[in-house]
Amino acid sequence: KDRNVVSLKLIIEQLQKNGIDVIIFSTPHHESVIDSLDPDDLKLFESILEDVSNDYNIPVYFLHNKYGNLNAWFDSTHIAINSKYFHYSEDIAGMIINHVDQ
């Protein structure tokens, strides 16, 4: 088992043990970054998060390629603050509100 995955699971277990709700989301990346990844590695990453989601009954949201083609990037790793295209914060807030409402 990958030590990062084991560490993530331990953190989730500790949070849940203390009554803290958990949601997981991947951070967005520019399409050039996503395109540079090995497709098998990306599938493995998504599979690991899906397994964690199922094992701990927590929602997971995949945002890593959601905003990749928008003209909203400061550079290939940072979304620029631009009210016209910057839905990331709104999406995160919506996830949290949705989770709390359930």
Side-chain angles (χ1 to χ4, degrees):
K1 290 188 177 185
D2 183 277
R3 122 180 139 188
N4 292 322
V5 175
V6 171
S7 296
L8 174 62
K9 289 180 176 185
L10 290 172
I11 290 168
I12 292 169
E13 288 172 10
Q14 201 60 29
L15 291 168
Q16 288 182 331
K17 185 177 174 180
N18 288 295
I20 299 169
D21 286 340
V22 177
I23 63 169
I24 294 177
F25 60 90
S26 60
T27 56
H29 295 283
H30 189 272
E31 65 186 344
S32 65
V33 173
I34 297 297
D35 291 346
S36 72
L37 298 174
D38 181 314
D40 290 336
D41 289 342
L42 190 56
K43 286 178 188 175
L44 178 60
F45 169 74
E46 292 171 350
S47 174
I48 288 169
L49 290 185
E50 287 171 355
D51 289 345
V52 169
S53 173
N54 292 331
D55 290 348
Y56 294 94
N57 194 31
I58 57 176
V60 62
Y61 300 91
F62 295 105
L63 303 180
H64 49 277
N65 60 358
K66 182 173 182 179
Y67 311 97
N69 62 350
L70 295 179
N71 186 20
W73 292 87
F74 177 75
D75 61 29
S76 64
T77 59
H78 297 91
I79 291 180
I81 298 175
N82 180 332
S83 60
K84 182 176 178 183
Y85 298 108
F86 193 67
H87 303 285
Y88 177 62
S89 296
E90 294 167 6
D91 287 347
I92 298 299
M95 287 176 222
I96 293 169
I97 290 168
N98 183 45
H99 185 70
V100 169
D101 285 345
Q102 292 179 2

